């Protein structure tokens, strides 16, 4: 009769199979098993460990590792990016800041007492200058523009060191001028090789060097003599004054 429900014995084999394979609903209070985790501690990965360290700590660890492992030191030298003039001058400025902060409050910065307070950071500053200066000279540095940019900033740093009253104390600054003067000579000679300085035409490096000479005096005399030789503008005072006043019609302009 139509509409009559089938009994269990009337269900075909397909119906029985579907019924037997249909999953029963999970009770609300069923316990869901989770994969077991390892609750034992483990060290941080190297990348995570490095993230926790400040620059000074990293530098100290890396320096000690390189001291004990020459192969590692060579690999770092090979893969590390080359410092730019701006990078180097930024580091130097940090040392200069520590030097300036070491001065006693009040009193003359040129006095023997002030010198005694700042001697250690002063020596650190000048050693840093010397190291970077060497690295920016040919043949290590092949770009003359980078060399001159660095020397300009480094010379300005020396200008800012006080002229200490005691002659022995003043030798730090005079020695720094002599070193930077020789570096300027090397840079000028390199520029001469590249077209007699023509590659630097209109860049104004002769005027910049003359202004450094105006502040430094005899400390940069060796560099000025080299500049005169390369640019052929001689030793006359009127040419010097012309350069200092900004004129560019006196010999070759770097």
């Amino acid at each position: 009769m139509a509409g009559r429900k089938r009994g269990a014995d009337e269900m075909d084999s397909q119906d029985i199979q579907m019924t037997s394979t249909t999953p029963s609903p999970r009770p609300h209070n069923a316990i869901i098993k989770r994969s077991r985790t390892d609750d034992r501690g483990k060290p941080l990965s190297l990348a995570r460990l490095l993230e926790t360290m400040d620059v000074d700590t990293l530098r100290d660890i890396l320096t000690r590792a390189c001291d004990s492992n020459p192969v590692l030191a060579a690999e770092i030298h090979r893969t590390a990016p080359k410092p730019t003039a701006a990078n180097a001058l930024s580091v130097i400025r940090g040392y200069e800041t520590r030097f300036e902060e070491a001065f006693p409050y009040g009193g003359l910065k040129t006095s023997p007492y002030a010198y005694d307070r700042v001697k250690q950071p002063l020596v650190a500053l000048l050693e840093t200058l010397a190291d970077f200066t060497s690295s920016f000279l040919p043949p290590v540095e092949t770009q003359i523009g980078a060399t001159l940019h660095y020397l300009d900033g480094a010379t300005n740093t020396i200008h800012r060191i006080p002229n200490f009253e005691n002659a022995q104390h003043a030798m730090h600054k005079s020695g720094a001028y002599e070193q930077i003067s020789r570096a300027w000579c090397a840079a000028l000679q390199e520029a001469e090789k590249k077209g007699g300085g023509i590659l630097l035409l209109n860049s104004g490096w002769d005027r910049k060097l003359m202004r450094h000479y105006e502040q430094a005096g005899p400390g940069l005399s060796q560099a000025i003599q080299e500049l005169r030789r390369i640019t052929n503008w001689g030793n006359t005072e009127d040419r010097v004054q012309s350069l200092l006043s900004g004129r560019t019609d006196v010999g070759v302009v770097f």
Side-chain angles (χ1 to χ4, degrees), residues 182-196:
R182 293 193 298 270
W184 276 103
C185 288
L188 294 173
Q189 290 162 8
E190 186 68 16
E192 183 183 21
K193 296 175 185 177
K194 299 178 178 179

Side-chain angles (χ1 to χ4, degrees), residues 127-147:
E127 287 177 348
T128 304
L129 268 171
D131 289 341
F132 277 113
T133 299
S134 297
S135 73
F136 275 93
L137 295 180
V140 177
E141 178 56 66
T142 58
Q143 301 296 319
I144 188 62
T147 299

Side-chain angles (χ1 to χ4, degrees), residues 6-243:
R6 293 185 295 171
D9 57 323
E10 294 178 75
M11 295 176 68
D12 57 28
S13 61
Q14 183 177 0
D15 291 333
I16 294 173
Q17 183 178 5
M18 291 178 63
T19 301
S20 63
T21 58
T22 301
S24 61
R26 184 184 296 274
H28 293 296
N29 60 351
I31 298 175
I32 302 175
K33 293 183 178 180
R34 297 180 180 177
S35 60
R36 184 173 181 177
T37 59
D38 187 356
D39 294 328
R40 293 175 300 175
K42 62 179 181 180
L44 282 172
S45 67
L46 179 59
R48 290 293 183 216
L49 184 61
L50 293 176
E51 286 181 318
T52 68
M53 300 179 190
D54 58 35
V55 174
D56 290 336
T57 302
L58 280 170
R59 184 186 299 114
D60 181 61
I61 291 173
L62 191 58
T63 299
R64 285 189 280 112
C66 290
D67 288 342
S68 61
N69 189 339
V71 175
L72 176 61
E75 179 65 13
I76 291 175
H77 269 290
R78 187 183 66 83
T79 59
K82 182 180 179 181
T84 65
N87 294 151
L89 292 172
S90 177
V91 172
I92 291 169
R93 181 56 188 162
Y95 280 87
E96 185 180 7
T97 298
R98 290 189 282 275
F99 164 62
E100 292 170 344
E101 291 174 347
F103 277 97
Y105 180 76
L108 293 175
K109 288 188 173 183
T110 58
S111 68
Y113 172 70
Y115 170 82
D116 289 339
R117 293 284 298 272
V118 302
K119 179 181 178 180
Q120 185 173 351
L122 173 60
V123 170
L125 169 61
L126 295 178
E127 287 177 348
T128 304
L129 268 171
D131 289 341
F132 277 113
T133 299
S134 297
S135 73
F136 275 93
L137 295 180
V140 177
E141 178 56 66
T142 58
Q143 301 296 319
I144 188 62
T147 299
L148 293 170
H149 181 191
Y150 167 79
L151 291 177
D152 183 45
T155 308
N156 280 324
T157 299
I158 300 172
H159 292 329
R160 292 191 289 267
I161 297 174
N163 296 313
F164 293 106
E165 297 170 2
N166 184 289
Q168 187 175 359
H169 300 167
M171 289 177 64
H172 291 290
K173 185 172 183 177
S174 60
Y177 272 137
E178 291 175 6
Q179 183 182 54
I180 209 72
S181 183
R182 293 193 298 270
W184 276 103
C185 288
L188 294 173
Q189 290 162 8
E190 186 68 16
E192 183 183 21
K193 296 175 185 177
K194 299 178 178 179
I198 299 302
L199 292 177
L200 302 177
L201 186 65
N202 295 327
S203 295
W205 285 109
D206 57 345
R207 296 191 299 279
K208 288 182 180 180
L209 182 52
M210 281 303 309
R211 290 190 177 95
H212 284 311
Y213 176 59
E214 187 180 27
Q215 287 186 260
L220 288 179
S221 59
Q222 186 176 355
I224 292 302
Q225 291 299 323
E226 193 65 18
L227 177 67
R228 286 170 172 155
R229 182 188 67 78
I230 293 172
T231 58
N232 294 317
W233 50 257
N235 299 317
T236 58
E237 186 63 25
D238 60 327
R239 290 181 180 271
V240 173
Q241 293 304 320
S242 294
L243 284 170

